[in-house]
Amino acid sequence: MTDGGHRANETVAVTGATGFVGREIVRELVERGMRVRALVRDAEKARRVLPAEPLGDGRIALVEGGVLEPGVADALVRDTDAVMHLIGIIREAPGGQTFERMHVLATQRVIESAEGEQHRRGIALRYCHMSALGVSDEGASAYQKTKFEAEGIVRRSRLAWTIFRPGLIHGQDGEFMQMIRDWSMGRAAPWLFLPYFTRVPAGWEPPLPPRLESPTVSPVFVGDVARAFCDALSRPRSIGEIYPLAGPDRMTMPELLRSVRDRVPLGRKSMPVIGLPGQAAALKARAASFIGLGDALPFDEGMALMGAEDSVAETMKARDDLGFEPASFAEAFDGYAARL
């Protein structure tokens, strides 16, 4: 595979294979005739969410374990032709689920294993990496900073790499859409309204009171993200490139929330949409974390700050190099709204 292309029956290693995006990428790879080696921590979950027939006939092979456990990454990439690294967390949690471990160290481990496999077999191993819009070494959150640090590890590697930076990804199995559904039905906190984070507009100066503004988003359908990852395997032009991925619509967060609320079964159209100041929410989360009550809130400091930022991008390069033509939000959402 020295030209960066791919052929049917080649094997692709996928980390985060049972996640929201991972399971969609696994499905897309199998439909294209590829074989998948899926890294999973829970084999039972994998059997529930990954395509049953390919699991049964061996087209999907499970590698159980954590990516940082000794030998697991080596076993995952052995005799594969490409690697898709999708592991990421939006919030830290007990048990080693830190941004440093799951973004930086996990990427380092997968890259080292992939480079070793590339050297062992004398091939150009393809590598596709999941990052995110807004990553930066000067980001507002540890999430953004560690994601950017992981990108640096990829860029310095000897692999034939491609980095993707999706914005707000939506789909039936996504936690974000399921959360909006629950808010719309009044069965999840804050029970009486649909919340989102606002921000002080750029250029505001005291003593004038700030008029808080809503972030703008371009939701991208999970199926379109999966296709972009898989299309990169057969597009040598994508090697060494970074692609922002976003949908074709631009809407404010309140517009998005109302659109979902009004379409989901049992959603209450009278449920108000209310903005919460992101900076104030971030300070509240920091204080809660300081006294050991961070888990009592449904968000942390970084999530409040990032939630107030725009999530939009120009995708012309992805269109030219990968044929990326994402569906509109309404078109994609209407395809699964009834199943939420």
Side-chain angles (χ1 to χ4, degrees), residues 227-290:
R227 281 186 287 276
F229 268 78
C230 297
D231 286 341
L233 295 180
S234 59
R235 307 289 180 98
R237 186 174 176 179
S238 68
I239 294 174
E241 296 289 350
I242 300 175
Y243 295 103
L245 298 179
D249 307 291
R250 292 201 176 198
M251 61 186 79
T252 66
M253 184 59 76
E255 290 171 339
L256 172 62
L257 292 174
R258 293 189 197 101
S259 180
V260 176
R261 176 199 66 190
D262 294 347
R263 285 180 166 91
V264 297
L266 305 180
R268 301 176 186 174
K269 294 185 178 181
S270 61
M271 188 77 74
V273 174
I274 298 178
L276 306 175
Q279 285 284 355
L283 290 174
K284 181 178 180 180
R286 181 189 298 181
S289 178
F290 182 75

Side-chain angles (χ1 to χ4, degrees), residues 75-245:
L76 176 70
V77 304
R78 190 168 185 83
D79 295 323
T80 60
D81 304 285
V83 178
M84 293 192 175
H85 182 44
L86 312 175
I87 291 175
I89 57 173
I90 192 63
R91 186 176 185 178
E92 295 186 328
Q97 299 294 301
T98 68
F99 293 128
E100 177 68 20
R101 282 174 54 81
M102 304 317 299
H103 292 169
V104 180
L105 297 183
T107 298
Q108 183 68 58
R109 182 67 56 84
V110 172
I111 290 289
E112 289 174 351
S113 294
E115 287 182 329
E117 181 67 6
Q118 178 172 270
H119 177 74
R120 183 182 76 85
R121 293 169 57 203
I123 63 170
L125 198 67
R126 227 21 203 103
Y127 177 93
C128 294
H129 184 82
M130 174 69 81
S131 189
L133 282 184
V135 301
S136 167
D137 58 352
E138 299 179 353
S141 68
Y143 171 91
Q144 293 167 321
K145 293 175 182 177
T146 54
K147 277 284 191 181
F148 186 77
E149 186 176 351
E151 284 192 4
I153 295 170
V154 175
R155 293 195 301 269
R156 292 189 296 271
S157 76
R158 297 185 296 274
L159 303 174
W161 59 263
T162 303
I163 294 172
F164 290 95
R165 292 177 175 175
L168 177 60
I169 305 175
H170 72 97
Q172 178 182 343
D173 297 325
E175 290 185 8
F176 180 69
M177 298 304 287
Q178 293 175 356
M179 181 172 61
I180 300 176
R181 174 203 62 197
D182 291 345
W183 289 342
S184 300
M185 298 168 63
R187 69 182 193 187
W191 316 110
L192 301 177
F193 65 95
L194 282 74
Y196 68 97
F197 294 115
T198 60
R199 65 183 180 229
V200 174
W204 170 77
E205 295 182 2
L208 294 175
R211 184 175 182 179
L212 299 179
E213 63 183 14
S214 302
T216 300
V217 296
S218 293
V220 59
F221 181 51
V222 64
D224 292 323
V225 174
R227 281 186 287 276
F229 268 78
C230 297
D231 286 341
L233 295 180
S234 59
R235 307 289 180 98
R237 186 174 176 179
S238 68
I239 294 174
E241 296 289 350
I242 300 175
Y243 295 103
L245 298 179

